[in-house]
Coordinates of all heavy atoms in Angstrom, one line a residue:
M1 N -6.3 -22.6 20.7 CA -7.1 -21.8 21.5 C -8.5 -22.1 21.3 O -9.3 -22.1 22.3 CB -6.8 -20.3 21.1 CG -7.6 -19.3 22.0 SD -7.4 -17.6 21.5 CE -5.8 -17.3 22.2
A2 N -8.9 -22.3 20.0 CA -10.3 -22.6 19.8 C -10.7 -23.9 20.5 O -11.8 -24.0 21.0 CB -10.6 -22.7 18.3
Q3 N -9.9 -24.9 20.5 CA -10.2 -26.2 21.2 C -10.3 -26.0 22.7 O -11.1 -26.5 23.3 CB -9.1 -27.2 20.9 CG -9.2 -27.7 19.4 CD -8.0 -28.6 19.1 OE1 -7.0 -28.7 19.8 NE2 -8.2 -29.3 18.0
A4 N -9.4 -25.1 23.2 CA -9.5 -24.9 24.7 C -10.8 -24.2 25.1 O -11.4 -24.5 26.1 CB -8.3 -24.0 25.1
V5 N -11.2 -23.3 24.3 CA -12.5 -22.6 24.5 C -13.6 -23.6 24.4 O -14.5 -23.6 25.3 CB -12.7 -21.4 23.5 CG1 -14.1 -20.9 23.6 CG2 -11.7 -20.3 23.8
Q6 N -13.7 -24.4 23.4 CA -14.7 -25.4 23.2 C -14.7 -26.4 24.4 O -15.7 -26.8 24.9 CB -14.6 -26.1 21.9 CG -14.9 -25.2 20.7 CD -14.7 -25.9 19.4 OE1 -14.0 -26.9 19.3 NE2 -15.2 -25.3 18.3
H7 N -13.5 -26.8 24.8 CA -13.4 -27.7 25.9 C -14.0 -27.2 27.2 O -14.5 -28.0 28.0 CB -11.9 -28.0 26.2 CG -11.6 -29.0 27.3 ND1 -11.9 -30.4 27.1 CD2 -11.2 -28.9 28.5 CE1 -11.6 -31.0 28.3 NE2 -11.2 -30.1 29.1
C8 N -14.0 -25.9 27.4 CA -14.6 -25.3 28.5 C -16.1 -25.0 28.3 O -16.8 -24.5 29.2 CB -14.0 -23.9 28.8 SG -12.3 -24.1 29.4
G9 N -16.7 -25.5 27.2 CA -18.1 -25.3 26.9 C -18.5 -24.0 26.4 O -19.6 -23.6 26.4
L10 N -17.5 -23.2 26.0 CA -17.8 -21.8 25.5 C -17.7 -21.8 24.0 O -17.2 -22.7 23.4 CB -16.7 -20.9 26.1 CG -16.7 -20.7 27.6 CD1 -15.5 -19.9 28.0 CD2 -18.0 -20.2 28.1
D11 N -18.3 -20.8 23.4 CA -18.2 -20.7 22.0 C -17.2 -19.5 21.7 O -17.4 -18.4 22.2 CB -19.6 -20.4 21.4 CG -19.6 -20.3 19.9 OD1 -18.7 -21.0 19.2 OD2 -20.4 -19.6 19.3
G12 N -16.3 -19.7 20.8 CA -15.3 -18.7 20.5 C -14.9 -18.8 19.0 O -15.2 -19.7 18.3
L13 N -14.3 -17.7 18.6 CA -13.9 -17.7 17.2 C -12.5 -17.1 17.2 O -12.2 -16.0 17.8 CB -14.8 -16.8 16.4 CG -14.4 -16.5 14.9 CD1 -14.4 -17.8 14.1 CD2 -15.3 -15.5 14.3
V14 N -11.5 -17.8 16.6 CA -10.2 -17.3 16.4 C -10.1 -16.7 15.0 O -10.4 -17.4 14.0 CB -9.1 -18.4 16.6 CG1 -7.7 -17.9 16.3 CG2 -9.2 -19.0 18.0
V15 N -9.7 -15.5 14.9 CA -9.6 -14.8 13.6 C -8.1 -14.6 13.4 O -7.4 -13.9 14.2 CB -10.3 -13.5 13.6 CG1 -10.2 -12.8 12.2 CG2 -11.8 -13.7 13.9
R16 N -7.6 -15.1 12.3 CA -6.2 -15.0 12.0 C -6.0 -14.2 10.6 O -5.8 -14.9 9.6 CB -5.5 -16.3 11.9 CG -5.6 -17.1 13.2 CD -5.0 -18.5 13.1 NE -3.6 -18.3 12.8 CZ -2.8 -19.3 12.3 NH1 -3.4 -20.5 12.1 NH2 -1.6 -19.1 12.0
P17 N -6.1 -12.9 10.6 CA -5.9 -12.2 9.4 C -4.4 -12.0 9.0 O -3.5 -12.1 9.9 CB -6.5 -10.8 9.7 CG -6.3 -10.6 11.2 CD -6.4 -12.0 11.8
G18 N -4.2 -11.9 7.7 CA -2.8 -11.6 7.3 C -2.5 -10.2 7.5 O -2.9 -9.6 8.5
A19 N -1.8 -9.5 6.6 CA -1.5 -8.1 6.7 C -2.7 -7.2 6.5 O -3.2 -7.2 5.4 CB -0.4 -7.8 5.7
I20 N -3.1 -6.5 7.5 CA -4.3 -5.7 7.4 C -3.9 -4.3 6.9 O -2.9 -3.7 7.4 CB -5.0 -5.5 8.8 CG1 -5.4 -6.9 9.3 CG2 -6.2 -4.6 8.7 CD1 -5.9 -6.9 10.7
C21 N -4.6 -3.8 5.9 CA -4.3 -2.5 5.3 C -5.5 -1.6 5.6 O -6.5 -2.0 6.3 CB -4.0 -2.6 3.9 SG -5.4 -3.1 2.8
G22 N -5.5 -0.4 5.0 CA -6.6 0.5 5.2 C -7.9 0.1 4.7 O -8.1 -0.9 4.1
D23 N -8.9 1.0 5.0 CA -10.3 0.7 4.5 C -10.4 0.7 3.0 O -9.7 1.5 2.3 CB -11.1 1.9 5.0 CG -12.6 1.7 4.8 OD1 -13.1 2.1 3.7 OD2 -13.3 1.1 5.6
S24 N -11.1 -0.3 2.5 CA -11.2 -0.5 1.0 C -11.9 0.7 0.3 O -11.7 0.9 -0.9 CB -11.9 -1.8 0.7 OG -13.3 -1.7 1.1
K25 N -12.7 1.4 1.0 CA -13.5 2.5 0.4 C -12.7 3.9 0.5 O -12.7 4.6 -0.4 CB -14.9 2.6 0.9 CG -15.7 1.4 0.6 CD -17.0 1.4 1.3 CE -17.8 0.1 1.2 NZ -17.2 -1.0 1.9
T26 N -12.2 4.1 1.7 CA -11.6 5.4 1.9 C -10.1 5.4 1.8 O -9.5 6.5 1.6 CB -12.0 5.9 3.4 OG1 -11.3 5.1 4.3 CG2 -13.5 6.0 3.6
G27 N -9.5 4.2 2.0 CA -8.0 4.1 2.0 C -7.4 4.5 3.3 O -6.2 4.5 3.4
R28 N -8.2 5.0 4.2 CA -7.6 5.4 5.5 C -7.0 4.3 6.2 O -7.5 3.2 6.3 CB -8.7 6.1 6.3 CG -9.2 7.4 5.8 CD -10.0 8.1 6.7 NE -9.1 8.4 7.9 CZ -9.3 9.4 8.8 NH1 -10.3 10.2 8.5 NH2 -8.6 9.5 9.8
S29 N -5.8 4.6 6.8 CA -5.1 3.6 7.6 C -4.3 4.3 8.7 O -4.3 5.5 8.8 CB -4.2 2.8 6.7 OG -3.2 3.6 6.1
N30 N -3.6 3.5 9.4 CA -2.8 4.0 10.5 C -1.5 4.7 9.9 O -0.7 4.0 9.3 CB -2.4 2.9 11.5 CG -1.5 3.4 12.6 OD1 -1.1 4.6 12.7 ND2 -1.2 2.5 13.5
P31 N -1.4 6.0 10.0 CA -0.2 6.6 9.3 C 1.1 6.3 10.0 O 2.1 6.5 9.4 CB -0.5 8.1 9.4 CG -1.5 8.2 10.6 CD -2.3 6.9 10.6
R32 N 1.1 5.7 11.1 CA 2.3 5.3 11.8 C 2.6 3.9 11.7 O 3.6 3.4 12.3 CB 2.2 5.7 13.3 CG 2.1 7.2 13.5 CD 2.0 7.5 15.0 NE 1.9 8.9 15.2 CZ 1.2 9.5 16.1 NH1 0.7 8.7 17.1 NH2 1.1 10.8 16.2
D33 N 1.9 3.1 10.9 CA 2.1 1.7 10.7 C 3.4 1.6 9.9 O 3.7 2.4 8.9 CB 1.0 1.1 9.9 CG 1.2 -0.3 9.5 OD1 1.1 -1.2 10.4 OD2 1.4 -0.6 8.3
L34 N 4.2 0.6 10.3 CA 5.6 0.5 9.6 C 5.4 0.2 8.1 O 6.2 0.8 7.3 CB 6.3 -0.7 10.3 CG 7.7 -1.0 9.7 CD1 8.6 0.2 9.9 CD2 8.3 -2.2 10.3
T35 N 4.5 -0.6 7.7 CA 4.3 -0.8 6.2 C 3.9 0.4 5.5 O 4.4 0.8 4.4 CB 3.3 -2.0 6.0 OG1 3.7 -3.1 6.7 CG2 3.2 -2.3 4.5
T36 N 3.0 1.2 6.1 CA 2.5 2.5 5.5 C 3.7 3.4 5.4 O 3.9 4.0 4.4 CB 1.4 3.1 6.4 OG1 0.3 2.2 6.5 CG2 0.9 4.4 5.8
L37 N 4.5 3.5 6.5 CA 5.7 4.4 6.4 C 6.7 4.0 5.3 O 7.2 4.8 4.6 CB 6.4 4.5 7.8 CG 5.6 5.2 8.9 CD1 6.2 5.0 10.2 CD2 5.4 6.6 8.6
F38 N 6.9 2.7 5.2 CA 7.8 2.1 4.2 C 7.4 2.5 2.8 O 8.1 3.0 2.0 CB 8.0 0.6 4.4 CG 8.8 0.0 3.3 CD1 10.2 0.2 3.3 CD2 8.2 -0.8 2.4 CE1 10.9 -0.4 2.2 CE2 8.9 -1.4 1.4 CZ 10.3 -1.2 1.3
L39 N 6.1 2.2 2.6 CA 5.5 2.5 1.2 C 5.5 3.9 0.9 O 5.8 4.3 -0.2 CB 4.1 1.9 1.1 CG 4.1 0.3 1.2 CD1 2.7 -0.2 1.2 CD2 4.9 -0.3 0.0
R40 N 5.2 4.8 1.9 CA 5.2 6.2 1.7 C 6.6 6.7 1.3 O 6.8 7.5 0.4 CB 4.8 6.9 2.9 CG 5.0 8.4 3.0 CD 4.1 9.2 2.1 NE 2.7 9.0 2.5 CZ 1.7 9.2 1.7 NH1 1.8 9.7 0.5 NH2 0.5 9.0 2.2
T41 N 7.6 6.1 2.0 CA 9.0 6.5 1.7 C 9.4 6.0 0.3 O 10.0 6.8 -0.5 CB 10.0 5.8 2.7 OG1 9.6 6.3 4.0 CG2 11.4 6.2 2.4
C42 N 9.0 4.8 -0.1 CA 9.3 4.3 -1.5 C 8.6 5.3 -2.5 O 9.2 5.6 -3.5 CB 8.7 2.9 -1.7 SG 9.7 1.7 -0.8
A43 N 7.4 5.7 -2.2 CA 6.6 6.5 -3.2 C 7.3 7.9 -3.2 O 7.5 8.5 -4.3 CB 5.2 6.7 -2.7
D44 N 7.7 8.5 -2.1 CA 8.3 9.8 -2.1 C 9.6 9.8 -2.8 O 10.0 10.8 -3.5 CB 8.5 10.3 -0.6 CG 7.2 10.6 0.1 OD1 6.2 10.7 -0.6 OD2 7.3 10.8 1.3
L45 N 10.4 8.7 -2.7 CA 11.7 8.6 -3.3 C 11.6 8.2 -4.8 O 12.5 8.3 -5.6 CB 12.6 7.7 -2.6 CG 13.0 8.1 -1.1 CD1 13.8 7.0 -0.5 CD2 13.8 9.4 -1.2
G46 N 10.5 7.5 -5.1 CA 10.3 7.0 -6.4 C 11.2 5.7 -6.6 O 11.5 5.4 -7.7
L47 N 11.5 5.1 -5.5 CA 12.3 3.9 -5.6 C 11.8 2.7 -4.8 O 11.0 3.0 -3.8 CB 13.7 4.3 -4.9 CG 14.5 5.4 -5.6 CD1 15.6 5.8 -4.7 CD2 15.0 5.0 -6.9
V48 N 12.1 1.5 -5.2 CA 11.8 0.4 -4.4 C 13.1 -0.5 -4.2 O 14.0 -0.3 -5.1 CB 10.7 -0.5 -5.0 CG1 9.4 0.2 -5.0 CG2 11.0 -1.0 -6.4
P49 N 13.2 -1.3 -3.2 CA 14.4 -2.1 -3.1 C 14.6 -3.0 -4.3 O 13.7 -3.5 -4.9 CB 14.2 -2.9 -1.8 CG 13.1 -2.1 -1.1 CD 12.3 -1.4 -2.1
S50 N 15.9 -3.2 -4.7 CA 16.2 -4.1 -5.8 C 15.7 -5.5 -5.5 O 15.7 -6.0 -4.4 CB 17.7 -4.1 -6.1 OG 18.4 -4.6 -5.0
G51 N 15.1 -6.1 -6.5 CA 14.6 -7.5 -6.4 C 13.3 -7.5 -5.6 O 12.8 -8.5 -5.1
A52 N 12.6 -6.3 -5.6 CA 11.3 -6.2 -4.9 C 10.1 -6.8 -5.7 O 9.3 -6.0 -6.2 CB 11.1 -4.7 -4.5
D53 N 10.1 -8.1 -5.7 CA 9.0 -8.7 -6.4 C 8.1 -9.4 -5.4 O 7.5 -10.4 -5.7 CB 9.5 -9.8 -7.4 CG 8.4 -10.2 -8.4 OD1 7.5 -9.4 -8.6 OD2 8.6 -11.3 -9.0
T54 N 8.0 -8.8 -4.2 CA 7.2 -9.4 -3.1 C 5.7 -9.0 -3.3 O 5.4 -7.9 -3.5 CB 7.7 -8.8 -1.8 OG1 9.1 -9.1 -1.6 CG2 6.9 -9.4 -0.6
A55 N 4.9 -10.1 -3.2 CA 3.4 -9.8 -3.3 C 3.0 -9.2 -1.9 O 3.3 -9.8 -0.9 CB 2.7 -11.1 -3.6
L56 N 2.2 -8.2 -2.0 CA 1.7 -7.5 -0.8 C 0.3 -8.1 -0.6 O -0.7 -7.7 -1.2 CB 1.6 -6.0 -1.0 CG 3.0 -5.4 -1.3 CD1 2.8 -3.9 -1.6 CD2 3.9 -5.5 -0.1
Q57 N 0.2 -9.1 0.3 CA -1.1 -9.8 0.5 C -1.9 -9.2 1.5 O -2.3 -9.8 2.5 CB -0.8 -11.3 0.8 CG -0.1 -12.0 -0.4 CD 0.3 -13.4 -0.1 OE1 0.5 -13.8 1.1 NE2 0.4 -14.2 -1.1
W58 N -2.2 -7.9 1.3 CA -3.0 -7.1 2.2 C -4.5 -7.5 2.2 O -5.0 -8.0 1.2 CB -3.0 -5.7 1.8 CG -1.6 -5.0 2.0 CD1 -0.7 -5.3 2.9 CD2 -1.1 -4.0 1.2 NE1 0.4 -4.5 2.7 CE2 0.2 -3.7 1.7 CE3 -1.6 -3.2 0.1 CZ2 1.0 -2.7 1.1 CZ3 -0.8 -2.3 -0.4 CH2 0.4 -2.0 0.1
I59 N -5.1 -7.3 3.3 CA -6.6 -7.5 3.4 C -7.1 -6.2 4.1 O -6.7 -5.8 5.2 CB -6.9 -8.8 4.1 CG1 -8.4 -9.0 4.1 CG2 -6.4 -8.8 5.5 CD1 -8.8 -10.5 4.4
P60 N -8.1 -5.6 3.5 CA -8.6 -4.3 4.0 C -9.3 -4.5 5.4 O -10.0 -5.5 5.6 CB -9.7 -3.9 3.0 CG -9.3 -4.6 1.7 CD -8.7 -5.9 2.1
V61 N -9.1 -3.6 6.2 CA -9.6 -3.7 7.6 C -11.2 -3.8 7.7 O -11.7 -4.6 8.5 CB -9.2 -2.4 8.5 CG1 -9.8 -1.1 7.9 CG2 -9.5 -2.6 9.9
D62 N -11.9 -3.2 6.7 CA -13.3 -3.4 6.7 C -13.7 -4.8 6.3 O -14.7 -5.3 6.8 CB -14.0 -2.3 5.9 CG -13.5 -2.2 4.5 OD1 -12.2 -2.1 4.3 OD2 -14.2 -2.2 3.5
F63 N -13.0 -5.4 5.5 CA -13.2 -6.8 5.1 C -13.0 -7.7 6.3 O -13.8 -8.6 6.5 CB -12.4 -7.2 3.9 CG -12.7 -8.6 3.4 CD1 -13.7 -8.9 2.6 CD2 -11.9 -9.7 3.9 CE1 -14.0 -10.2 2.2 CE2 -12.2 -11.0 3.5 CZ -13.2 -11.2 2.6
V64 N -11.9 -7.5 7.0 CA -11.6 -8.3 8.2 C -12.8 -8.2 9.2 O -13.3 -9.2 9.8 CB -10.3 -7.9 8.9 CG1 -10.1 -8.6 10.2 CG2 -9.1 -8.2 7.9
A65 N -13.2 -7.0 9.5 CA -14.3 -6.8 10.4 C -15.6 -7.4 10.0 O -16.2 -8.1 10.8 CB -14.5 -5.3 10.6
E66 N -16.0 -7.3 8.7 CA -17.2 -7.8 8.2 C -17.2 -9.4 8.2 O -18.1 -10.0 8.7 CB -17.5 -7.3 6.8 CG -18.8 -7.9 6.3 CD -19.2 -7.3 5.0 OE1 -18.6 -6.4 4.5 OE2 -20.1 -7.9 4.3
A67 N -16.1 -9.9 7.8 CA -15.9 -11.4 7.7 C -16.0 -12.0 9.1 O -16.6 -13.0 9.4 CB -14.7 -11.8 7.0
S68 N -15.3 -11.3 10.1 CA -15.3 -11.8 11.4 C -16.7 -11.8 12.0 O -17.1 -12.8 12.7 CB -14.4 -10.9 12.3 OG -13.1 -11.0 11.8
C69 N -17.4 -10.8 11.8 CA -18.8 -10.7 12.3 C -19.7 -11.7 11.7 O -20.5 -12.4 12.4 CB -19.3 -9.3 12.1 SG -18.5 -8.0 13.2
R70 N -19.6 -11.8 10.4 CA -20.5 -12.8 9.7 C -20.3 -14.2 10.1 O -21.2 -14.9 10.4 CB -20.3 -12.7 8.2 CG -21.0 -11.4 7.6 CD -20.8 -11.4 6.1 NE -21.4 -10.2 5.6 CZ -22.3 -10.2 4.6 NH1 -22.8 -11.3 4.1 NH2 -22.8 -9.0 4.2
V71 N -19.0 -14.6 10.2 CA -18.7 -15.9 10.5 C -19.0 -16.2 12.0 O -19.5 -17.2 12.4 CB -17.2 -16.2 10.3 CG1 -16.8 -17.6 10.9 CG2 -16.9 -16.3 8.8
G72 N -18.8 -15.2 12.8 CA -19.1 -15.3 14.3 C -20.6 -15.5 14.5 O -21.0 -16.3 15.3
V73 N -21.4 -14.8 13.8 CA -22.9 -14.8 14.0 C -23.5 -16.1 13.3 O -24.3 -16.8 13.9 CB -23.6 -13.6 13.4 CG1 -25.1 -13.7 13.3 CG2 -23.2 -12.4 14.2
Q74 N -23.0 -16.4 12.1 CA -23.6 -17.6 11.4 C -23.1 -18.9 11.8 O -23.6 -19.9 11.5 CB -23.3 -17.4 9.9 CG -24.0 -16.2 9.3 CD -23.6 -15.9 7.8 OE1 -22.8 -16.7 7.2 NE2 -24.2 -14.9 7.3
R75 N -22.0 -18.9 12.6 CA -21.4 -20.2 13.1 C -21.2 -21.2 12.0 O -21.6 -22.4 12.1 CB -22.3 -20.8 14.2 CG -22.5 -19.8 15.3 CD -23.2 -20.5 16.5 NE -23.7 -19.6 17.5 CZ -23.0 -18.7 18.2 NH1 -21.8 -18.4 17.9 NH2 -23.6 -18.0 19.1
I76 N -20.6 -20.8 10.9 CA -20.5 -21.7 9.7 C -19.2 -22.5 9.7 O -19.0 -23.3 8.8 CB -20.6 -20.9 8.4 CG1 -19.6 -19.8 8.3 CG2 -22.0 -20.4 8.2 CD1 -19.6 -19.1 7.0
L77 N -18.3 -22.2 10.6 CA -17.0 -22.9 10.6 C -17.0 -23.9 11.8 O -17.1 -23.5 12.9 CB -15.8 -21.9 10.8 CG -15.5 -21.0 9.7 CD1 -14.4 -20.0 10.1 CD2 -15.1 -21.7 8.4
P78 N -16.8 -25.2 11.4 CA -16.9 -26.2 12.5 C -15.7 -26.0 13.5 O -15.9 -26.2 14.7 CB -16.8 -27.5 11.8 CG -16.3 -27.2 10.4 CD -16.7 -25.8 10.1
R79 N -14.5 -25.6 13.0 CA -13.4 -25.5 13.9 C -13.3 -24.1 14.6 O -12.5 -23.9 15.4 CB -12.1 -25.8 13.2 CG -12.0 -27.3 12.9 CD -10.6 -27.7 12.3 NE -9.5 -26.8 12.6 CZ -8.6 -26.5 11.8 NH1 -8.5 -27.0 10.6 NH2 -7.6 -25.6 12.1
R80 N -14.1 -23.2 14.1 CA -14.2 -21.8 14.7 C -12.8 -21.1 14.6 O -12.5 -20.3 15.4 CB -14.7 -21.8 16.1 CG -16.0 -22.6 16.3 CD -17.2 -21.9 15.7 NE -17.5 -20.7 16.3 CZ -18.1 -19.7 15.7 NH1 -18.4 -19.8 14.5 NH2 -18.4 -18.6 16.4
V81 N -12.1 -21.3 13.5 CA -10.9 -20.6 13.2 C -11.0 -20.0 11.8 O -11.3 -20.8 10.8 CB -9.6 -21.5 13.2 CG1 -8.4 -20.8 12.9 CG2 -9.5 -22.2 14.6
L82 N -10.9 -18.7 11.7 CA -11.0 -18.0 10.4 C -9.7 -17.5 10.0 O -9.1 -16.6 10.7 CB -12.1 -16.9 10.6 CG -12.3 -16.0 9.4 CD1 -12.8 -16.8 8.2 CD2 -13.2 -14.9 9.7
Q83 N -9.1 -17.9 8.9 CA -7.9 -17.4 8.4 C -8.2 -16.6 7.2 O -8.8 -17.1 6.2 CB -6.9 -18.6 8.1 CG -6.6 -19.4 9.3 CD -5.5 -20.4 9.0 OE1 -4.4 -20.2 9.5 NE2 -5.8 -21.4 8.3
L84 N -7.7 -15.3 7.2 CA -8.0 -14.4 6.1 C -6.7 -14.0 5.5 O -5.8 -13.6 6.2 CB -8.7 -13.2 6.6 CG -10.1 -13.4 7.2 CD1 -10.6 -12.2 7.9 CD2 -11.1 -13.9 6.2
Q85 N -6.6 -14.1 4.2 CA -5.4 -13.6 3.4 C -5.9 -12.9 2.2 O -6.7 -13.3 1.5 CB -4.5 -14.8 3.0 CG -3.3 -14.4 2.4 CD -2.4 -15.6 2.1 OE1 -2.5 -16.6 2.7 NE2 -1.4 -15.4 1.2
G86 N -5.3 -11.7 2.0 CA -5.7 -10.9 0.9 C -4.8 -11.1 -0.3 O -3.8 -11.9 -0.2
S87 N -5.1 -10.5 -1.4 CA -4.2 -10.5 -2.5 C -4.1 -9.0 -2.9 O -5.0 -8.2 -2.8 CB -4.9 -11.3 -3.7 OG -6.1 -10.7 -4.1
G88 N -2.9 -8.7 -3.3 CA -2.7 -7.3 -3.7 C -1.5 -7.2 -4.7 O -1.1 -8.2 -5.2
P89 N -1.1 -6.0 -4.9 CA -0.1 -5.8 -5.9 C 1.3 -6.3 -5.4 O 1.4 -6.6 -4.2 CB -0.1 -4.3 -6.1 CG -0.5 -3.8 -4.8 CD -1.5 -4.8 -4.3
H90 N 2.2 -6.4 -6.3 CA 3.6 -6.6 -6.0 C 4.2 -5.3 -5.6 O 3.8 -4.2 -6.0 CB 4.4 -7.3 -7.1 CG 4.1 -8.7 -7.3 ND1 2.9 -9.2 -7.8 CD2 4.8 -9.8 -7.0 CE1 2.9 -10.5 -7.8 NE2 4.0 -10.9 -7.3
L91 N 5.2 -5.4 -4.7 CA 5.8 -4.2 -4.2 C 6.3 -3.2 -5.3 O 6.1 -2.0 -5.3 CB 7.0 -4.5 -3.3 CG 7.7 -3.3 -2.6 CD1 6.8 -2.5 -1.9 CD2 8.8 -3.9 -1.7
K92 N 6.8 -3.8 -6.4 CA 7.3 -3.0 -7.5 C 6.2 -2.3 -8.3 O 6.5 -1.4 -9.0 CB 8.2 -3.8 -8.4 CG 7.4 -4.9 -9.2 CD 8.3 -5.7 -10.1 CE 7.5 -6.8 -10.8 NZ 8.4 -7.7 -11.6
E93 N 4.9 -2.7 -8.1 CA 3.8 -2.0 -8.7 C 3.2 -0.9 -7.9 O 2.4 -0.1 -8.4 CB 2.7 -3.1 -9.0 CG 3.1 -4.2 -9.9 CD 2.1 -5.3 -9.9 OE1 1.3 -5.5 -8.9 OE2 2.1 -6.0 -10.9
V94 N 3.6 -0.7 -6.7 CA 3.1 0.3 -5.8 C 3.8 1.6 -6.2 O 5.0 1.7 -6.2 CB 3.3 0.0 -4.3 CG1 2.8 1.1 -3.5 CG2 2.6 -1.3 -4.0
R95 N 3.0 2.6 -6.4 CA 3.6 4.0 -6.8 C 2.9 5.0 -6.0 O 1.8 5.1 -5.7 CB 3.4 4.2 -8.2 CG 4.3 3.4 -9.1 CD 4.3 3.8 -10.5 NE 5.3 3.2 -11.3 CZ 5.3 1.9 -11.7 NH1 4.3 1.1 -11.4 NH2 6.3 1.4 -12.4

C-alpha cells in the first residue's frame, strides 16, 4: 500500500499495530472488545485455560496514537510503514 501511494506521488504512512489495549494512564478500553471480555471472564472465575503461557503483546492505544503522529510528522521512516508491537504479561499472570 505504501508503495502504491508513493507511486502516485502522494505521501502516506501505513501503521500496523499489534493488539491494541486500553489507555496506559487510565486503563480505559472498549468494554465490548473480545479480549477484554475474555480476560474479565478469566478474572471473575479466577481461572485461565490450561497451558495458558501465551504472551499478551498488547500496545496501549495512546502509544499507538502518539507514535503514529510523531512518525507521520517527522517523516523518519523511508518505507513509511510503522509496525508496532507491545510487550506484556503472560496470560497466566493476568488477575
Side-chain angles (χ1 to χ4, degrees):
M1 182 184 285
Q3 290 174 344
V5 168
Q6 289 175 346
H7 181 71
C8 293
L10 302 171
D11 184 29
L13 174 65
V14 176
V15 180
R16 299 179 61 198
I20 300 174
C21 65
D23 185 273
S24 65
K25 295 172 188 72
T26 67
R28 290 193 60 154
S29 64
N30 179 357
R32 294 183 182 148
D33 177 72
L34 181 61
T35 303
T36 303
L37 291 171
F38 172 73
L39 293 175
R40 169 73 61 198
T41 301
C42 288
D44 289 348
L45 295 174
L47 302 168
V48 295
S50 62
D53 197 23
T54 302
L56 303 172
Q57 297 178 334
W58 294 327
I59 186 164
V61 65
D62 51 312
F63 182 84
V64 173
E66 182 177 346
S68 300
C69 290
R70 285 183 185 236
V71 170
V73 170
Q74 296 176 359
R75 305 190 191 306
I76 58 175
L77 292 176
R79 288 186 25 215
R80 307 295 289 154
V81 177
L82 176 63
Q83 298 188 109
L84 300 170
Q85 182 174 345
S87 62
H90 283 72
L91 181 57
K92 65 182 179 182
E93 298 170 336
V94 176
R95 290 186 167 78

